[in-house]
Amino acid sequence: MGLQPLEFSDCYLDSPWFRERVRAHEAELERTNKFIKELLKDGKNLIAATKNLSAAQRKFAHSLRDFKFEFIGDAETDDERYIDASLHEFSNFLKNLEEQREILALSVTETLIKPLERFRKEQLGAVKEEKKKFDKETEKNYSLLEKHLNLSAKKKELQLQEADNQVEQNRKHFYELSLEYVCKLQEIQERKKFECVEPVLSFFQGLFTFYHQGYELAKDFSHYKMALQINIQNTRNRFEGTRSEVEELMNKIRRNPQEHKRANHFTMEGYLYVQEKRPAPFGSSWVKHYCMYRKETKKFSMIPFEHRSGGKVGDEEFFVLTYCTKRNADTIDRRFCFDLENYCCAQLDKIGFTIIKKCISAVETRGNDQPSLFVKRVNCGVSSKVQRLLSLLMDSKTCNEVDLENSVDWEVKTITSAMKQYLRSLPEPLMTYELHGEFIVPAKSGSPESRVNAVHFLVHKLPEKNKEMLEILVKHLANVSKHAKRNLMTVANLGVVFGPTLMRPQEETVAAIMDLKFQNIVVEILIENHEKIFKTLPDATFPEPISMSVSPPNAPPRQSRRQGQRIKRPLAVYNLCLELDDGKISPREDTPTGSTDSLSSQSPTPAFSSSPPGLLDGNHLILDSGDLAGWTTNLVAHRKARAVYPCEAEHSSELSFQIGAIFEDVQFSREPGWLEGTLNGKRGLIPQNYVQFL
């Protein structure tokens, strides 16, 4: 049963039943108000969901549009082209549908949300205001009646009449308000039926339009859908037809891989693991490279590749192969390994000074205030870029063309790394092996003043070119340290970075690692006192430090080891195929060391001697390029020699011997001033000026 009507005549009676009917109407309007509030909330959620759906649909459409099927071979079939284009068509369909959905979302707001909000605020809100007035007047009317009843009968007649008149006037005002309230209640009860439902109808009209247009879009797309189904079926049929043939070919290759080997323009290719040494005390690490060799051009290329880093490919390095040579098995300390030894041609010559000055000028022009201007170590990618820059700078033809101050090709950190790399590649460190121990001694003890005086004295014992280069570099480091607040390169940090560069030890030992901190102190002293050290002469009365190197009595001075700085890179072969004309390594007639194969018609004239690196199965590669200039195999004939002075080995690679010792199979070593020979079954290095050939 519905609501009972509110009769206007009942307003004058104000009976309990009238009040009950008014409360029923009020409860219904409150229920209507709650319904509209929930409908508004759900409508707004619908709009938000529609927007999210539109965004997701738009993204999905973009993904379909941007993806493209790659085909196998050099051309596509018509079916493959149609399948590839299908994703773009699907994207267009969704795009059109999404446009209609945006219209629907706008329609929900305009046709449903706003009209319902307006009805709730204007109509239901007005009823609430009328109810407040009605309740207020009701309370006022009944309170006045109770007050009137409590008047004393002894009051004058005039006072009683005035009280009666007041009650009557208030009653009339209450009845008028009651009539208006009853009228408003019944008006809203009737108005809500169309003012609430009409927006809902408009919303559904928009919804029907959206789905109808979606149907029309789908109908327009149906012919394309049918054609695509045919293309897919054609592609499936071709797949079924070729699968058996592909499997048959796979089984043939599995049974006999050599007969079905694919023709390749590379003579050999495969993976090598290259051992890259790091500055002490960090040891070394193995880095995987994919290597390719083309016999016609003699080019050997290496590309760093690590599958764990997402298959990132590094920068390619090129070398030129000179020849292969076989090494005795007992000289290989690891199975499937061989060494590549690179003698760097960095020297303290005119081009060396040009390189350092160009780098310093660029750094001080562009980046003295860049954070971490000098870094302790660089990653593999930066390292390859540094090597390329060094190659350009060390070539007299390209050095002057490299613009470091203005070019965006070379970052400041690449330039600083190249400068450090060049200094590390010198045959000897700037502060020389000979004076290394003497520089360390004052850094370990003494007052600050005595340390400065000792370093001052020793710097002026350096060869003139070393001192000149050291002065240029230290002055630059002092300038860098002035910007330490911005570049973080304090004097202490610069000491850590340049200590191992300027004062690297001759041998890598535990003791040398322990002395790293003292090398840093020496560099700090140089930076902090560069004006005094380089601009003034040391005190002539300052005692010369005691040399840390002692030769046997009456023996000539030992030749300093490692006169040519080399980069030694053991390579572990993972998968490398070698193919020559006859499929094997053939001996060279002009090489006394045994089985070799010449990969060039003429061997270069040697600049100095070296032992050849090795290759898979005992054969060795000698590479010749800008980075590996000066590699030779000028091996002397096997001869005997006798010791004329005693010698105590200072390294495991050297031999200890007494006067008269006879050495077998003596050859020149890659170390200038040293020989390589065998004594009592042990092979090692011998100072050349300690023996005589027999």
Side-chain angles (χ1 to χ4, degrees):
M1 183 166 177
L3 294 172
Q4 291 186 9
L6 298 175
E7 298 294 343
F8 292 119
S9 58
D10 289 340
C11 293
Y12 294 94
L13 297 177
D14 195 23
S15 66
W17 300 277
F18 168 74
R19 288 282 176 169
E20 185 176 347
R21 289 195 293 272
V22 168
R23 284 196 294 272
H25 278 262
E26 291 173 344
E28 172 58 22
L29 290 182
E30 182 61 31
R31 193 171 69 87
T32 301
N33 185 50
K34 289 182 179 180
F35 164 72
I36 293 175
K37 284 177 70 175
E38 287 295 320
L39 198 62
L40 288 172
K41 178 182 175 182
D42 293 340
K44 290 176 180 178
N45 288 339
L46 176 62
I47 292 173
T50 302
K51 289 180 179 179
N52 290 336
L53 178 60
S54 294
Q57 189 168 284
R58 191 182 304 114
K59 188 176 184 302
F60 187 75
H62 288 169
S63 298
L64 288 176
R65 182 195 64 198
D66 295 339
F67 182 77
K68 178 178 174 60
F69 285 109
E70 290 296 341
F71 58 91
I72 299 175
D74 56 1
E76 291 178 291
T77 64
D78 291 340
D79 293 319
E80 288 173 332
R81 278 191 288 272
Y82 205 93
I83 290 173
D84 188 60
S86 65
L87 298 184
H88 193 270
E89 291 296 328
F90 287 137
S91 173
N92 290 337
F93 173 78
L94 290 176
K95 183 180 178 181
N96 293 335
L97 196 62
E98 187 259 335
E99 289 175 356
Q100 298 300 322
R101 184 171 280 109
E102 287 182 348
I103 295 174
L104 174 63
L106 182 62
S107 174
V108 171
T109 301
E110 296 297 327
T111 62
L112 180 67
I113 302 299
K114 288 184 178 180
L116 286 180
E117 285 182 334
R118 187 167 52 250
F119 176 79
R120 181 171 168 270
K121 289 178 182 179
E122 294 178 1
Q123 302 299 329
L124 295 181
V127 170
K128 285 187 176 182
E129 292 298 321
E130 292 293 331
K131 182 180 185 305
K132 288 179 182 178
K133 294 179 182 178
F134 178 71
D135 290 341
K136 184 177 179 181
E137 286 298 322
T138 298
E139 184 63 28
K140 182 179 178 181
N141 183 54
Y142 291 146
S143 296
L144 192 62
L145 285 176
E146 290 175 1
K147 183 179 178 182
H148 187 65
L149 288 174
N150 292 327
L151 285 176
S152 174
K154 296 180 180 180
K155 287 185 177 290
K156 295 180 179 180
E157 185 66 23
L158 183 61
Q159 292 176 324
L160 292 175
Q161 288 180 356
E162 288 179 355
D164 290 341
N165 291 334
Q166 186 178 3
V167 169
E168 188 61 28
Q169 289 177 0
N170 189 73
R171 191 196 305 272
K172 289 181 180 179
H173 181 67
F174 169 70
Y175 289 155
E176 290 177 2
L177 210 65
S178 179
L179 289 170
E180 291 177 0
Y181 181 53
V182 167
C183 182
K184 191 67 175 177
L185 279 176
Q186 297 193 119
E187 175 189 335
I188 295 301
Q189 294 290 5
E190 296 300 317
R191 181 187 288 271
K192 72 178 184 182
K193 296 175 184 177
F194 57 88
E195 289 209 6
C196 288
V197 178
E198 191 173 39
V200 175
L201 174 61
S202 298
F203 162 70
F204 276 97
Q205 186 63 37
L207 200 63
F208 297 152
T209 302
F210 165 74
Y211 281 108
H212 175 73
Q213 290 177 337
Y215 167 77
E216 293 294 328
L217 283 173
K219 188 166 64 173
D220 292 341
F221 194 78
S222 62
H223 73 284
Y224 184 84
K225 181 187 69 173
M226 294 299 296
L228 183 59
Q229 287 176 340
I230 296 172
N231 296 132
I232 293 173
Q233 187 59 44
N234 291 341
T235 306
R236 184 189 298 277
N237 293 340
R238 280 193 292 271
F239 164 74
E240 296 294 343
T242 58
R243 182 172 61 176
S244 58
E245 296 181 10
V246 171
E247 289 178 352
E248 183 179 353
L249 176 60
M250 178 187 68
N251 291 329
K252 285 182 181 178
I253 293 176
R254 180 184 293 165
R255 289 191 296 269
N256 197 342
Q258 294 301 322
E259 286 187 5
H260 298 274
K261 189 174 181 181
R262 186 169 60 92
N264 198 331
H265 58 281
F266 290 113
T267 307
M268 61 178 180
E269 59 182 311
Y271 283 105
L272 296 179
Y273 282 86
V274 180
Q275 190 181 49
E276 295 191 352
K277 290 190 176 180
R278 300 177 181 174
F282 299 105
S284 59
S285 63
W286 291 92
V287 180
K288 186 167 68 173
H289 292 67
Y290 192 79
C291 298
M292 295 159 286
Y293 171 65
R294 184 179 292 180
K295 185 175 181 180
E296 295 76 15
T297 59
K298 300 184 177 63
K299 278 192 174 181
F300 184 86
S301 58
M302 300 172 61
I303 303 174
F305 177 79
E306 178 51 64
H307 67 279
R308 293 186 184 89
S309 62
K312 184 177 180 181
V313 178
D315 295 326
E316 189 171 8
E317 296 181 69
F318 287 97
F319 307 99
V320 177
L321 189 68
T322 303
Y323 60 87
C324 298
T325 182
K326 186 175 182 179
R327 183 194 283 185
N328 294 330
D330 58 359
T331 64
I332 302 175
D333 61 352
R334 187 191 294 264
R335 215 159 59 96
F336 307 130
C337 283
F338 61 92
D339 293 342
L340 296 181
E341 298 186 3
N342 178 14
Y343 286 80
C344 183
C345 54
Q347 298 292 336
L348 287 178
D349 52 11
K350 182 179 179 181
I351 195 167
F353 277 87
T354 301
I355 290 172
I356 297 300
K357 288 178 181 178
K358 281 177 72 78
C359 290
I360 289 175
S361 176
V363 171
E364 296 196 348
T365 300
R366 295 173 56 186
N368 249 350
D369 57 351
Q370 287 195 12
S372 301
L373 185 61
F374 292 98
V375 290
K376 182 70 175 171
R377 287 163 28 193
V378 295
N379 60 44
C380 183
V382 175
S383 178
S384 62
K385 195 170 184 180
V386 170
Q387 291 295 338
R388 290 202 305 275
L389 176 56
L390 269 180
S391 298
L392 293 173
L393 290 174
M394 292 171 67
D395 189 340
S396 58
K397 297 179 181 178
T398 58
C399 180
N400 293 329
E401 297 176 2
V402 179
D403 183 5
L404 298 180
E405 294 186 11
N406 303 301
S407 176
V408 296
D409 296 333
W410 309 109
E411 297 176 350
V412 173
K413 287 183 180 179
T414 303
I415 297 171
T416 57
S417 297
M419 181 165 58
K420 289 191 302 172
Q421 181 63 43
Y422 187 86
L423 293 171
R424 285 195 296 266
S425 301
L426 291 170
E428 269 195 302
L430 277 184
M431 301 173 74
T432 72
Y433 293 132
E434 182 181 357
L435 296 177
H436 179 85
E438 297 182 16
F439 273 109
I440 292 294
V441 170
K444 292 183 176 180
S445 61
S447 64
E449 183 180 0
S450 66
R451 290 182 177 184
V452 175
N453 290 336
V455 173
H456 189 187
F457 180 84
L458 291 170
V459 164
H460 286 265
K461 287 186 64 178
L462 291 171
E464 193 58 36
K465 287 187 177 180
N466 292 55
K467 182 160 70 74
E468 183 183 351
M469 179 68 83
L470 186 63
E471 180 180 1
I472 293 170
L473 181 65
V474 171
K475 181 180 178 182
H476 168 60
L477 297 182
N479 290 336
V480 170
S481 67
K482 293 176 182 177
H483 299 80
K485 288 186 178 180
R486 291 190 296 274
N487 61 28
L488 309 180
M489 288 288 102
T490 62
V491 173
N493 288 342
L494 290 170
V496 171
V497 173
F498 279 91
T501 299
L502 301 180
M503 293 186 64
R504 65 180 184 272
Q506 190 167 1
E507 300 292 344
E508 294 182 9
T509 62
V510 175
I513 294 174
M514 295 298 103
D515 283 343
L516 279 175
K517 52 184 174 291
F518 300 112
Q519 295 174 189
N520 304 345
I521 292 173
V522 174
V523 175
E524 290 178 34
I525 292 172
L526 289 173
I527 296 172
E528 291 176 337
N529 304 276
H530 69 283
E531 288 290 341
K532 174 182 178 180
I533 291 173
F534 294 102
K535 298 300 183 184
T536 65
L537 293 174
D539 187 354
T541 63
F542 187 81
E544 182 174 345
I546 299 174
S547 174
M548 302 297 288
S549 177
V550 181
S551 297
N554 303 320
R558 291 161 58 93
Q559 175 70 32
S560 177
R561 288 283 306 283
R562 298 188 183 179
Q563 291 296 312
Q565 175 65 18
R566 54 185 175 160
I567 300 171
K568 189 173 183 181
R569 307 206 294 179
L571 303 180
V573 180
Y574 173 71
N575 177 23
L576 181 63
C577 301
L578 175 63
E579 289 186 0
L580 300 177
D581 290 341
D582 55 359
K584 59 185 179 180
I585 304 296
S586 58
R588 258 177 47 166
E589 296 178 359
D590 58 342
T591 305
T593 55
S595 176
T596 60
D597 177 45
S598 174
L599 297 182
S600 62
S601 59
Q602 217 172 16
S603 295
T605 302
F608 49 84
S609 301
S610 67
S611 295
L615 180 65
L616 177 65
D617 73 0
N619 297 291
H620 305 271
L621 290 177
I622 299 296
L623 305 184
D624 182 18
S625 71
D627 288 332
L628 306 176
W631 285 23
T632 64
T633 56
N634 183 27
L635 302 177
V636 301
H638 303 280
R639 296 175 62 182
K640 293 183 179 181
R642 181 174 58 241
V644 293
Y645 298 102
C647 179
E648 186 68 29
E650 296 179 357
H651 189 266
S652 59
S653 62
E654 300 174 11
L655 295 177
S656 297
F657 50 86
Q658 300 297 323
I659 296 176
I662 303 298
F663 302 96
E664 303 285 342
D665 192 18
V666 179
Q667 303 176 28
F668 284 113
S669 168
R670 62 173 64 88
E671 307 277 3
W674 290 74
L675 301 172
E676 187 176 343
T678 303
L679 177 65
N680 299 328
K682 182 180 178 182
R683 192 160 185 82
L685 296 174
I686 313 158
Q688 184 176 343
N689 54 353
Y690 277 50
V691 301
Q692 288 180 345
F693 281 103
L694 299 179

